[in-house]
Every structure is written in C-alpha cells, then in structure tokens.
Amino acid sequence: MEPADAARLGPERVVRALPPRLLLLPLLPLLLGRGLRAAASASSSGAAAEDSSAMEELATEKEAEESHRQDSVSLLTFILLLTLTILTIWLFKHRRVRFLHETGLAMIYGLIVGVILRYGTTATSGHDKSLSCTQEDRAFSTLLVNVSGKFFEYTLKGEISPGKVNSVEQNDMLRKVTFDPEVFFNILLPPIIFHAGYSLKKRHFFRNLGSILAYAFLGTAVSCFIIGNLMYGVVKLMKIVGQLSDKFYYTDCLFFGAVISATDPVTVLAIFNELHADVDLYALLFGESVLNDAVAIVLSSSIVAYQPAGLNTHAFDAAAFFKSVGIFLGIFSGSFTMGAVTGVVTALVTKFTKLHCFPLLETALFFLMSWSTFLLAEACGFTGVVAVLFCGITQAHYTYNNLSVESRSRTKQLFEVLHFLAENFIFSYMGLALFTFQKHVFSPVFIIGAFVAIFLGRAAHIYPLSFFLNLGRRHKIGWNFQHMMMFSGLRGAMAFALAIRDTASYARQMMFTTTLLIVFFTVWIIGGGTTPMLSWLNIRVGVDPDQDPPPNNDSFQVLQGDGPDTARGNRTKQESAWLFRLWYSFDHNYLKPILTHSGPPLTTTLPAWCGLLARCLTSPQVYDNQEPLREEDSDFILTEGDLTLTYGDSTVTANGSSGSHTAPTSVEVSRRTKGSSEEVLERDLGMGDQKVSSRGTRLVFPLEDNA
C-alpha cells in the first residue's frame, strides 16, 4: 500500500486493510505472553485439580474405613448383648428364676445399650445443605446428583415431617445400629419360623388340629377386625381432641389390627416346657402361635392390597373387599403349596441319592433347600413365612426319615441354635430401637386405646370360639385353659417385624411405636406372671409330654407294643381331628413309601398295573426291614375295623364287638382264658403286670361303662 493511499484511508481503514499476517506481527509478543501465562495457568490448575482429586480419594478411603469400623462396632455390640444374655440365662436357670424370660433379658440389655448410644455419644456429622425439587410431585428411590461434573448416587431413607427437619439425628453410630427391615424378614425370621415347624410335636398338634385351625384362622380374623374397628374409633377421638397431626385411615387401623394380632407366647411356652405343663394346653398355644403368625402376615398383605375403585381410595368397596379375600386365599394356598413342594423335593433327593454317606453335604443341602423356600416364595410374590413353616413340617414328616443319624442330630441342633440366636437378636434390637429409632410417634391416647382393644380382641378370640369348639370336642377346653390362653396372648418378633417393615408414613410410625411398647409390656408383665397364673388356675405341671390327662367317663385305655413307653396316651381317633384322619391312610399307604424308606411297599398298596412304577419308587430298605418304623402320630388315627384282638376262639375288634376267630391277627395275647372276651379284656387291662406283645401301631380300645 502506497503512503498516499494510507493517508487517504485513515488509520482505522489502514488497520482493516492490512493483511492478517501483517496485523499479527505487532501483536506477536503480546500473544506469546498471554499464551505462556495461559499455559502456566492451565498447568497450575491441572495440578490443583489432581491434588483436589487425590484429596477426595483420600477422604473417601478414610470415610470407608471409618464406616467399616462403625459397622464392626455395631455388630460387636449385638454379639456382646447376646453373650451377656446367655450368661444371665445360665445364672437364672442355675438359681431357678422364672419371673423373667431370656427374651425379656435381651430387651433390658438392649434398652441399656440404646440409652448409652442415644445420650452417651455425640453427633459425628452435621446437616448438609437442603436442596428443593419443587417441580417433582413424588419422591424417588434413587437420585443421581451432578456436582461439578461428578455424579453421586443417593438412596431414599424415608419421609421426614417438616417440623423435624432440623432435629434429625446425625449420629452415625445410631444410623449403623438401625437395620434395614428386610434383614429381619430375609435373615432372622426364616430360622425362627422353620424351627417352629421342624420341631412340631405332631402327636399333640394333630390331636387338636381342628381347634388350632379355628383359633389361628377364624380367631385371628375376628381379633383383627375387632381391634381395627376399635382403633378407628380411637383415631376419631384423637381427631376430635386435636391429637392427630396427620392422616390416619380406616385401612391403617385394620392393618394395625392384623399386625398386633400376631401372637408370640415364647415366654409362656418356655415356662410350660420347663415346668412340663399340660400337653394339650401347650399344643393349643403353640399351634395357634405358629399358624397365627402366618395368617397375620397374609392378612396384613391383603389389607395393603385393598384398592377400591374411584377417587376415594379408602372407602368401602365390595368388589375390592372380595378381591382382598381372594388375594388372601391365593397367597396362603400358594405359599403353602410352595413350602410343601420344596419339602417333597428335598425328601426325594435325599431318598434316591447316596447323600447319607456324606453327612456334611446332606446337612448343607437340607439347610439350603429349607432357607431357599422363604426366598423363593418372596420372589414369586407369596409369603415366605407360610412357605417356610409348612416346609419345616414337611421336612420333619418326610425328609427327616431319610437323613443319616448324624444329619438328623445336626439339623435339629443347627436350627435350634439359629432360632435361639435370631430370636434373642430381635428382642435385643427391640430394646435398642426404643432409643435409636428416629421416627417414633408417641400418642398416649392411641397407646391406651391399643391396650384396651387388644384385651377385648383377645377375649372375643378365645371365649366364643372355645364355646363352639367344646360342642364338638370329647375332651373339653376347660375354663382354666381358656383363661390361660387369654392371658398368654403375648406379642413378639412377628408383630415387631411387620410393624418395622414400613415406617414411611405418620400412621405407620405411630403403629410401630405402639407395637414396641405392647411387646415390652406383654413380655415383661404377662411373661413374668405365667408361673403364678398356672398355680392360680390349677393347671397341671410336672406332666410327662407323652402322658395324657387322667381318664374320665369317656376315656380309653392304651396298649403299645415294641416300644419303651408302655403307657403312652389314652385317647383314640375320636379325640384327633377328623381332617387329619381323612388323609392319614393315603399318607401312610402312598406318600410315606414314595418319599421315605418307611411304610408298606407300594407293590402291596398300588394296583397291579402299577407294578413297575411301584418297584421303582419303593426303597429296598422297606423290604429289608422286618418291622416297620414306628409312627409317632399313628396312635390316634385308627379306624373302627383296623385292629382285632385274639382271645381263645374269639376275636375282639377295636370297638369291643366279638366274633369267631378264623384268621391270625396282628396281636397275640400271651395268656388265654375261657371267659367272655369283654371280661377278659377288662381284667387284663386292669392288671399292671400283664404283658401284651404287638408290632408297629399302638393299640387303643374303649372301655364301655355299662352302668
């Protein structure tokens, strides 16, 4: 560009007209300086970022290490609690102290540790900044938060009422000792429920099966609805007096009725077992509590599933009601089937394999199959409590016969220990939770109303049902038994586990707090008063578990052969449940030979055209055994024509009729007389030194009072 042209264009146009490379020349030193400073700044910022990242990693590692240490301390706390409980139990048993059960001790020690953790430790972390998400209309179970390009995952812990946002406890130790409710259901409850079914005394249980089913099913439903309706009136009263700060629906009251109807008389039963109280009373209480837990959990699930159509989701809807009833029946029957099938599969595996040659593998398989029943039922949408209960009953009835002697002892002891530890762990946690749980809602009106409702619900549960049951029972349920059953309606592990499973809403938090206090009261007060109550009600103690009450006018004398107990039981099939008698013959002739090594050969019970199948399914040990295995539950399922007794030339049946002797019978009396068969039978049964030899099944004969 010429100077004249530059003068004509002016300075601004000169700059614009210059080529880009010429324009950059004067700015080169400036650009180089800025570039060097930018590079230095980037280098320093990169180093700072690396230092910051290293510091964050170091802080994360320290936090993980601290969390691991706190986890170890929390578990060590419970182990020390159990250890202290065991030592105190030994001391109580040594001193014959019965006013406080081991579960009550565990709760006391849990309370002490809870007080120490609550008031003896300081907060270890402060509140973080609260973030508002006003655009969302619901809570998310998992959140991914972007913080400066880094994503962090947060999980939902539960809802906090606005008035308690600033008072949320930030003590990490209290958080560590607060377990996930699923821990109770998936880890602690299965061994407790399975042990109840596996250790079931079938003889006394099935003798009272009809009464037990009535108390467990009909009684629990009656108790649930009575408690639920009474508590709904209490909630209405709380609303009137201004003590209800949030919503509390009728379905919530019914849910509370189902939860609190789950009885757990572990303290009473332990004292019964120690004092050898009346076996029928023990069977009624134990059987009711075992099935009652299963009914309560299915009933609570059905109430939760109650969803009426329309805008008001808490109003009564007949269609929704019958749907809930259908859900109840479906869940219970499905869970029952799943538990029984798992037990049958385990029996078949142990029968048709040589696992008995390896007791360790046999015990391990038995343990895993039993525990998996609970998880399988839960995964399929059923109730694991019902499934594992009936799995335990099936395993005891079939699989136990296939196990080796060592595995039988191992499985009994294994589940007994697991039951003991899990139950005491839960009761220790109950005491701890009274001070460490962060969402308690104490309402004096609700708590007092709950105690009154429970008393009335238990009374409506026991007395009317006992009256109707006595109409069909030969051995009546006396008033002293009814009063003791009324008194023994303790609440325990199942009610606590159901209440703590969902504490998200205000109503559920109030239910949990009230349930916790009810468990404390029943275990300490009612459990401690069991021994005086037994004495006051004149209930027999010191009774042999295999001995029945003294005979009355409708009693029966019992003879048993080939067994050490020569005077066990004096009641026949008339005292056993008719439902049990219906399926016993089928079970004895077909199921036992198929699933176990006992029972008659299938070649003698199945039709001739099933000969090949019968030979394949019948165990060779059945043919090798000269004498069939004794059935513990066969002494009260005999039918009228099952047994005959030979006296000289006469044959006496079980009902006392006589006829000519034409064929050899299963019982031969060592001494023959020439008198009438009835007189001989009465005289021989009255003689203490008379020996009667028999094989297999216990023999039961009625004594007719002709006067």
Side-chain angles (χ1 to χ4, degrees), residues 171-430:
N171 193 319
D172 289 339
M173 192 62 193
L174 294 183
R175 289 179 174 178
K176 293 296 182 182
V177 297
T178 304
F179 287 96
D180 188 341
E182 295 303 317
V183 172
F184 292 98
F185 268 83
N186 296 330
I187 297 179
L188 298 178
L189 277 184
I192 295 176
I193 303 300
F194 181 85
H195 178 264
Y198 194 52
S199 62
L200 186 68
K201 294 183 178 180
K202 296 180 292 182
R203 177 170 176 258
H204 304 293
F205 178 84
F206 287 112
R207 174 192 297 168
N208 298 278
L209 181 62
S211 301
I212 290 172
L213 291 177
Y215 286 128
F217 283 87
L218 186 58
T220 303
V222 169
S223 176
C224 168
F225 283 98
I226 288 180
I227 294 175
N229 284 278
L230 290 176
M231 293 310 299
Y232 187 64
V234 172
V235 169
K236 289 293 186 182
L237 177 62
M238 293 173 59
K239 188 175 182 180
I240 294 174
V241 298
Q243 293 192 9
L244 194 65
S245 59
D246 208 338
K247 297 179 181 179
F248 209 119
Y249 298 105
Y250 178 69
T251 52
D252 294 326
C253 296
L254 288 180
F255 178 82
F256 178 73
V259 167
I260 211 64
S261 294
T263 60
D264 186 16
V266 58
T267 304
V268 176
L269 293 177
I271 295 176
F272 279 13
N273 191 40
E274 185 177 354
L275 296 178
H276 299 291
D278 190 281
V279 290
D280 278 331
L281 178 60
Y282 183 93
L284 288 172
L285 279 175
F286 180 78
E288 181 209 355
S289 66
V290 167
L291 294 179
N292 167 271
D293 290 344
V295 174
I297 190 172
V298 179
L299 192 60
S300 62
S301 301
S302 303
I303 294 173
V304 172
Y306 177 78
Q307 294 293 337
L311 299 177
N312 190 356
T313 58
H314 296 276
F316 177 78
D317 188 344
F321 172 78
F322 287 108
K323 181 180 178 181
S324 296
V325 173
I327 291 174
F328 174 86
L329 297 176
I331 292 178
F332 196 94
S333 59
S335 303
F336 165 80
T337 303
M338 188 166 293
V341 168
T342 306
V344 167
V345 171
T346 310
L348 291 174
V349 171
T350 54
K351 177 183 177 180
F352 291 103
T353 61
K354 298 293 183 179
L355 276 174
H356 64 272
C357 299
F358 306 93
L360 180 61
L361 300 180
E362 191 178 37
T363 305
L365 178 67
F366 183 92
F367 174 80
L368 294 176
M369 291 292 290
S370 302
W371 201 304
S372 63
T373 304
F374 184 93
L375 301 177
L376 179 63
E378 292 289 335
C380 295
F382 297 109
T383 299
V385 170
V386 180
V388 79
L389 170 64
F390 287 100
C391 176
I393 296 175
T394 307
Q395 301 277 44
H397 191 60
Y398 298 113
T399 311
Y400 183 81
N401 297 322
N402 301 333
L403 301 178
S404 61
V405 176
E406 187 175 354
S407 294
R408 292 181 183 183
S409 176
R410 281 181 176 180
T411 53
K412 286 285 187 181
Q413 294 175 359
L414 173 63
F415 281 101
E416 186 176 5
V417 171
L418 290 177
H419 163 264
F420 173 82
L421 293 177
E423 191 168 57
N424 282 277
F425 184 94
I426 291 179
F427 279 93
S428 298
Y429 185 78
M430 288 183 195

Side-chain angles (χ1 to χ4, degrees), residues 644-652 661 663-669 672:
T644 56
L645 188 62
T646 303
Y647 285 90
D649 296 329
S650 299
T651 300
V652 182
H661 172 58
T665 60
S666 60
V667 177
E668 295 181 1
V669 180
R672 298 186 178 185

Side-chain angles (χ1 to χ4, degrees), residues 519-530:
V519 172
F520 287 161
F521 178 84
T522 56
V523 171
W524 288 338
I525 305 301
I526 297 180
T530 300

Side-chain angles (χ1 to χ4, degrees), residues 525-565:
I525 305 301
I526 297 180
T530 300
T531 304
M533 184 63 68
L534 285 173
S535 176
W536 185 63
L537 293 175
N538 295 322
I539 294 176
R540 298 187 311 150
V541 295
V543 180
D544 184 357
D546 294 325
Q547 179 183 354
D548 292 313
N552 52 28
N553 292 334
D554 296 326
S555 65
F556 295 81
Q557 298 292 333
V558 177
L559 302 177
Q560 181 187 357
D562 287 354
D565 306 326

Side-chain angles (χ1 to χ4, degrees), residues 484-548:
M484 194 67 216
M485 294 180 68
M486 170 70 188
F487 179 80
S488 303
L490 285 76
R491 269 63 178 179
M494 179 57 67
F496 173 79
L498 288 173
I500 200 176
R501 197 173 192 180
D502 182 7
T503 56
S505 65
Y506 168 82
R508 298 299 174 88
Q509 293 167 10
M510 186 183 296
M511 293 180 202
F512 172 72
T513 302
T514 306
T515 302
L516 202 57
L517 295 177
I518 291 172
V519 172
F520 287 161
F521 178 84
T522 56
V523 171
W524 288 338
I525 305 301
I526 297 180
T530 300
T531 304
M533 184 63 68
L534 285 173
S535 176
W536 185 63
L537 293 175
N538 295 322
I539 294 176
R540 298 187 311 150
V541 295
V543 180
D544 184 357
D546 294 325
Q547 179 183 354
D548 292 313

